[in-house]
């Protein structure tokens, strides 16, 4: 009997490992192939299926320390009748089991009904797992309303998913942050260029921008409207013209 039990247990363990492998393969494929706009909801769909949960959230912590829940628009929020809907939760508003899980950096679950705002869907059972990378909370997996109670097998599964997601999510967030900073720098440069161009064109005194090539003869590479009006050249005629071609007044300048 003991030998049969052992074989049955081994078979169950192998089946569970295969199930876990399939779940992670599906999630990894989503991270590799799906854009940010749909990635969170698609990963959440796999998690809900794996935990037999009806509702849930897959969110991340942004650079300001707030939790962003892009997956909500396709899960809980579609079913809520709340006037104040948001996918951005500032840290000082974190509450309930998921808020505690984030603050405490610890998995929490409850098989008792939760207090929710008026209009929110009822939450009968819930399980919240913070996504942690190198001791930094980078996101959250929160599932709710499994038909039966959540137990340690659900905790094991969701924690393993969170552990595997953590470095991938962190890399994705860093990439997005770098891209955001790059766009901000480009916008700042554009604004500076536009400001300089406006000052350059509107200056009352004529201005020439020169380039000094290896042969030492200054060449005009740009001229403002005042210079064009003074000398009668078009803008294109100025470009590339040696400074020495202008009259004595320009040379003195």
């Amino acid at each position: 009997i003991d030998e049969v039990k052992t074989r049955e247990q081994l078979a169950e363990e192998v089946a569970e490992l295969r199930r876990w492998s399939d779940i992670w393969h599906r999630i990894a494929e989503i991270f590799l192939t799906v854009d940010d706009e749909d990635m969170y909801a698609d990963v959440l769909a796999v998690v809900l299926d794996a935990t037999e949960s009806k509702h849930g959230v897959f969110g991340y912590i942004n650079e300001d320390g707030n939790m962003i829940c892009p997956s909500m628009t396709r899960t809980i929020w579609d079913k809520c009748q709340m006037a104040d809907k948001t996918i951005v939760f500032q840290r000082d508003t974190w509450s309930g089991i998921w808020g505690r899980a984030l603050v405490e950096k610890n998995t929490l679950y409850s098989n008792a009904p939760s207090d929710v705002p008026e209009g929110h869907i009822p939450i009968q059972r819930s399980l919240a797992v913070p996504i942690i990378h190198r001791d930094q909370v980078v996101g959250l997996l929160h599932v709710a309303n499994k038909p039966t109670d959540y137990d340690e097998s659900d905790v094991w599964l969701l924690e393993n998913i969170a552990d595997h997601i953590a470095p991938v999510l962190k890399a994705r967030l860093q990439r997005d942050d770098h891209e955001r900073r790059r766009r901000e720098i480009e916008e700042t440069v554009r604004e500076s260029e536009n400001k300089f161009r406006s000052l350059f064109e509107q200056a009352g005194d004529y201005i020439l921008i020169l380039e000094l090539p290896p042969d030492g003869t200054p060449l005009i590479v740009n001229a403002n409207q005042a210079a064009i009006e003074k000398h009668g050249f078009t803008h294109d005629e100025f470009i590339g013209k040696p400074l020495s071609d202008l009259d004595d007044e320009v040379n003195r300048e």
Side-chain angles (χ1 to χ4, degrees):
I1 294 175
D2 289 342
E3 184 177 355
V4 172
K5 275 188 176 181
T6 301
R7 288 177 178 175
E8 289 177 349
Q9 290 171 349
L10 286 173
E12 290 177 358
E13 291 176 2
V14 169
E16 186 63 21
L17 288 173
R18 286 177 177 171
R19 175 170 170 263
W20 156 245
S21 177
D22 176 66
I23 292 169
W24 175 241
H25 176 77
R26 291 165 62 192
I27 292 175
E29 185 71 15
I30 292 169
F31 271 109
L32 289 172
T33 61
V34 178
D35 292 336
D36 285 348
E37 184 177 350
D38 296 318
M39 181 270 290
Y40 291 93
D42 288 357
V43 169
L44 179 61
V46 175
V47 171
L48 293 179
D49 180 60
T51 59
E52 300 178 10
S53 300
K54 191 172 182 181
H55 304 297
V57 169
F58 172 27
Y60 65 90
I61 309 300
N62 70 0
E63 65 277 4
D64 297 322
N66 302 321
M67 188 178 75
I68 313 299
C69 298
S71 60
M72 268 192 164
T73 56
R74 287 172 54 180
T75 54
I76 293 178
W77 260 203
D78 289 341
K79 298 177 175 61
C80 286
Q81 301 299 317
M82 298 169 58
D84 182 20
K85 296 185 181 183
T86 180
I87 62 170
V88 181
F89 294 86
Q90 296 183 350
R91 186 181 177 88
D92 58 6
T93 67
W94 293 358
S95 61
I97 191 171
W98 64 267
R100 285 179 52 208
L102 289 175
V103 172
E104 298 173 12
K105 297 183 180 180
N106 192 34
T107 297
L108 297 173
Y109 71 94
S110 171
N111 289 311
S114 301
D115 292 331
V116 294
E118 184 178 353
H120 197 287
I121 61 171
I123 300 297
Q124 304 300 330
R125 305 175 181 84
S126 60
L127 164 61
V129 176
I131 303 172
I132 300 174
H133 179 69
R134 295 181 179 176
D135 202 40
Q136 177 190 8
V137 178
V138 297
L140 171 75
L141 287 172
H142 181 206
V143 295
N145 289 1
K146 180 184 176 183
T148 58
D149 285 353
Y150 290 105
D151 56 29
E152 290 304 314
S153 65
D154 297 304
V155 171
W156 178 89
L157 178 61
L158 207 57
E159 285 184 340
N160 271 277
I161 292 174
D163 287 345
H164 281 71
I165 282 177
V168 185
L169 179 61
K170 178 62 176 179
R172 202 151 176 158
L173 293 175
Q174 286 179 329
R175 179 209 65 190
D176 293 344
D177 186 53
H178 292 161
E179 178 62 20
R180 178 183 59 80
R181 293 178 185 274
R182 183 188 65 79
R183 290 196 299 267
E184 289 176 351
I185 291 172
E186 287 181 348
E187 181 60 27
T188 300
V189 171
R190 278 195 297 269
E191 290 176 356
S192 297
E193 289 177 344
N194 291 337
K195 184 177 181 180
F196 169 79
R197 188 176 296 110
S198 177
L199 292 172
F200 177 73
E201 291 296 338
Q202 296 174 16
D205 296 329
Y206 75 83
I207 302 174
L208 300 177
I209 298 179
L210 306 178
E211 179 182 79
L212 187 62
D215 64 8
T217 302
L219 299 177
I220 300 171
V221 295
N222 207 347
N224 71 344
Q225 187 61 32
I228 291 172
E229 292 175 357
K230 178 178 178 63
H231 294 284
F233 296 117
T234 66
H235 182 271
D236 290 342
E237 288 172 338
F238 260 116
I239 305 305
K241 182 181 290 296
L243 182 60
S244 58
D245 284 3
L246 300 185
D247 57 31
D248 293 340
E249 182 182 354
V250 175
N251 278 310
R252 285 196 299 271
E253 293 293 336

